[in-house]
Amino acid sequence: MAKNTEIERKFLVASDAFMAQATCHYEIVQGYLCKEAGKTIRIRIRDNQAFLTIKSGKLREGLAKFEWEKEIALEDARELMQLCLPNPIIKTRYIIPINADRKWEVDVFHGHKEGMVLAEIELGDENERFDKPAWLGDEVTGLPQYYNANM
């Protein structure tokens, strides 16, 4: 996979059985400075770390997207959050390891998206095969209503 390229598949979650497989979890608050067709600029606070992320829409046919992310000072992130669009995303992320290279990230949403639970896996190639755990529901990859920026 090229540097700064993200290939991910996203699914609804059918049960809370994933929690028994999670090795850790953390709290995330993220706000958007910009969300336009084809690009987003986001501030994310994860526990006591903060990040600035720029993402594109699809780079070409398929799943690949450009993603650039840099850690920033927590105080800077808190200040930038004041400039973000309304309704920040608030969620708890659970990490479920698959192997040394892959993991499931399951997001349990709070606030205005309370009750939504999504799982995603980042892949090295669009055709990479992976096992789907029993708690996984329908695939929603590519459906705009499940992009965090659209929530």
Side-chain angles (χ1 to χ4, degrees):
M1 181 166 57
K3 182 180 177 185
N4 296 329
T5 301
E6 172 186 69
I7 299 171
E8 68 180 16
R9 304 267 302 269
K10 192 175 281 201
F11 297 82
L12 296 173
V13 174
S15 80
D16 64 0
F18 70 89
M19 288 188 177
Q21 298 171 7
T23 57
C24 66
H25 69 280
Y26 40 86
E27 303 305 315
I28 294 174
V29 177
Q30 64 190 42
Y32 289 84
L33 293 167
C34 168
K35 53 182 186 178
E36 298 176 5
K39 68 179 170 191
T40 60
I41 302 173
R42 152 186 103 196
I43 303 299
R44 174 181 280 173
I45 298 174
R46 183 183 72 201
D47 288 339
N48 291 315
Q49 287 184 291
F51 303 88
L52 170 66
T53 305
I54 299 171
K55 287 188 172 193
S56 75
K58 291 181 184 178
L59 295 174
R60 61 186 185 293
E61 283 301 314
L63 302 174
K65 296 180 179 183
F66 172 82
E67 180 180 58
W68 178 90
E69 183 171 78
K70 294 294 179 198
E71 188 166 358
I72 62 174
L74 185 58
E75 280 307 310
D76 291 342
R78 288 184 176 136
E79 285 184 35
L80 287 169
M81 279 287 185
Q82 304 304 309
L83 302 175
C84 289
L85 299 167
N87 296 320
I89 299 294
I90 303 167
K91 59 190 177 182
T92 304
R93 174 165 288 170
Y94 294 84
I95 305 299
I96 297 99
I98 299 170
N99 57 40
D101 298 323
R102 299 284 173 257
K103 65 185 173 197
W104 286 101
E105 295 178 339
V106 179
D107 292 338
V108 177
F109 290 81
H110 309 291
H112 70 283
K113 286 297 177 180
E114 188 75 36
M116 180 178 286
V117 183
L118 295 173
E120 63 183 48
I121 184 171
E122 286 197 23
L123 303 172
D125 179 276
E126 291 183 19
N127 298 311
E128 182 178 333
R129 294 180 180 264
F130 57 94
D131 292 327
K132 295 179 182 172
W135 45 262
L136 212 57
D138 293 335
E139 184 164 8
V140 295
T141 302
L143 297 178
Q145 66 266 35
Y146 295 103
Y147 297 165
N148 280 258
N150 293 339
M151 291 188 194

